[in-house]
Amino acid sequence: MRFLIRSALRQSMLCGKEEDCPDRLFRCRQCGYSQSTELDGCPVCAAGWRAIDVSHGPACPKHLVEEAFETPNGVLVRRCFRLLNAKAMGLAITLNDITEEELRVMELIEAEKQEQAADEDKDAKSFQELLLRKLSRR
Ligand SMILES: [Zn+2]
Ligand SMILES: [Zn+2]
């Protein structure tokens, strides 16, 4: 569960666009043929480039995370992120609206967010220290 939440929070850092994915996969929408090198058309069914989809490959962390979000736990985490967004937008959510489980996951998300913010502060601080050390050496 924590893994799912952490991944969701860091999703943008995992992998960018499909086209830039180091493990991208080209797949024909018509017959399902796929390969890892770029396809201008399908060699199997001769479909044109319009039928070729590019997606994150099986070894890409983003793909793994997306797969994890298809599981029941992943669906729950996604729903809780939506609930938190709704709350941030000013919608009132009462304890009657959510289940015990959802509440627990939302608490986990909040804790994870704070931890991540603290991590970023630490990173920024060590970067500043590094900079100061470099400058003082001159
Ligand atoms: Zn990727
Ligand atoms: Zn094809």
Side-chain angles (χ1 to χ4, degrees):
M1 191 62 85
R2 281 175 79 92
F3 162 76
L4 279 168
I5 293 168
R6 233 171 256 176
S7 314
L9 288 171
R10 285 161 201 251
Q11 210 157 23
S12 58
M13 286 159 62
L14 290 174
C15 191
K17 285 202 312 220
E18 283 90 349
E19 284 81 2
D20 305 324
C21 182
D23 189 43
R24 58 192 180 163
L25 196 70
F26 295 87
R27 188 172 164 280
C28 171
R29 239 179 293 151
Q30 278 187 29
C31 69
Y33 171 81
S34 66
Q35 68 175 46
S36 55
T37 48
E38 191 150 4
L39 279 174
D40 288 328
C42 180
V44 177
C45 71
W49 60 271
R50 273 176 225 274
I52 306 299
D53 269 341
V54 56
S55 65
H56 295 272
C60 167
K62 188 156 187 165
H63 174 88
L64 295 174
V65 166
E66 276 169 6
E67 242 175 22
F69 276 109
E70 297 305 318
T71 64
N73 272 349
V75 172
L76 175 66
V77 168
R78 270 193 309 195
R79 176 169 157 73
C80 289
F81 267 101
R82 267 206 304 273
L83 284 170
L84 283 172
N85 279 342
K87 209 172 111 215
M89 275 159 52
L91 281 164
I93 295 168
T94 67
L95 285 176
N96 293 327
D97 300 327
I98 56 175
T99 65
E100 192 70 27
E101 202 179 24
E102 283 163 354
L103 179 67
R104 203 173 52 87
V105 173
M106 281 163 76
E107 280 168 353
L108 267 177
I109 292 173
E110 287 297 338
E112 206 58 53
K113 266 190 193 165
Q114 274 165 20
E115 205 170 290
Q116 195 169 319
D119 274 357
E120 272 158 21
D121 276 356
K122 229 188 312 169
D123 284 351
K125 213 183 264 171
S126 58
F127 176 72
Q128 272 175 356
E129 275 165 17
L130 191 77
L131 203 69
L132 279 173
R133 235 179 296 150
K134 273 204 173 135
L135 288 172
S136 62
R137 223 178 279 157
R138 278 203 237 163

